[in-house]
Amino acid sequence: MNSDGTVQLWDPLLRLCHLSIAGVFFADYFFNEEGDDWHQWLGYYALACVVARVVWGFVGPPSARWADFWPTPARLAVHARALLRGEPCHRLGHSPIGALVMLLMLTGIAGLVLTGWASQEVDALWGADWPTDLHSWLADAVLALVCVHVLAAIYESVRLRENLPLSMITGRRRRRD
């Protein structure tokens, strides 16, 4: 723990993956034309970040490990009850519901890359509408999850009186006893 009451929580690789995936999704959703070179290469970069994050969940520091925050039914139930009762449920790392949303976003990004690749590169699918339709649906679903993620981070920041988005930038988080 630092003299200011904070602890190093999010390591540089985790923060780079988070920022990269967020930036790529934003750029590809709002600015890059579907199928153009930038859209494709950024998608592949996002997949590399997802793969790095998955591996980091097994070999990274304790706060990045899946075992630390995997959203088990019991953890999800405890967190949901605390939210419904308005009780604090302070975890140093990911909350169980936050972890579930994060896993859904990572899965959605991987699905976007797979459907984007399939619609462009698999000859047997040439002219088929379903890969691009699924790609568009996944993009909208990930956008909805991103909105939930951002709103939840703001809500929890206010509720816990702690700037959670800032902790992802600095890597530091206030420790509560």
Side-chain angles (χ1 to χ4, degrees), residues 100-169:
L100 179 61
V101 171
M102 188 249 323
L103 289 169
L104 290 171
M105 286 188 292
L106 289 176
T107 302
I109 295 293
L112 280 168
V113 175
L114 179 63
T115 56
W117 172 81
S119 67
Q120 296 290 315
E121 302 297 334
V122 177
D123 290 340
L125 297 175
W126 186 256
D129 290 335
W130 73 264
T132 53
D133 292 345
L134 182 55
H135 187 78
S136 294
W137 183 87
L138 280 171
D140 292 340
V142 170
L143 180 62
L145 288 168
V146 167
C147 291
V148 167
H149 174 66
V150 169
L151 291 173
I154 293 168
Y155 173 78
E156 286 292 283
S157 290
V158 170
R159 195 170 82 84
L160 298 173
R161 294 188 170 111
E162 183 173 1
N163 190 336
L164 297 178
L166 181 64
S167 72
M168 184 51 73
I169 295 168

Side-chain angles (χ1 to χ4, degrees), residues 17 20-29 32-52 105-117 120 135:
C17 287
S20 294
I21 292 169
V24 165
F25 179 78
F26 188 80
D28 272 357
Y29 192 93
N32 294 324
E33 185 68 33
E34 190 172 315
D36 75 6
D37 287 345
W38 274 106
H39 188 95
Q40 290 179 31
W41 286 111
L42 287 175
Y44 294 140
Y45 175 67
L47 181 63
C49 290
V50 168
V51 169
M105 286 188 292
L106 289 176
T107 302
I109 295 293
L112 280 168
V113 175
L114 179 63
T115 56
W117 172 81
Q120 296 290 315
H135 187 78

Side-chain angles (χ1 to χ4, degrees), residues 77-105:
V78 167
H79 188 207
R81 275 194 301 274
L83 287 173
L84 290 172
R85 293 178 182 157
E87 298 170 351
C89 185
H90 189 273
R91 282 191 37 81
L92 194 55
H94 289 290
S95 67
I97 295 173
L100 179 61
V101 171
M102 188 249 323
L103 289 169
L104 290 171
M105 286 188 292

Side-chain angles (χ1 to χ4, degrees), residues 1-22:
M1 183 166 356
N2 205 358
S3 62
D4 64 356
T6 63
V7 61
Q8 183 68 33
L9 179 64
W10 307 119
D11 62 90
L13 179 66
L14 193 139
R15 294 187 339 252
L16 176 65
C17 287
H18 181 269
L19 182 62
S20 294
I21 292 169

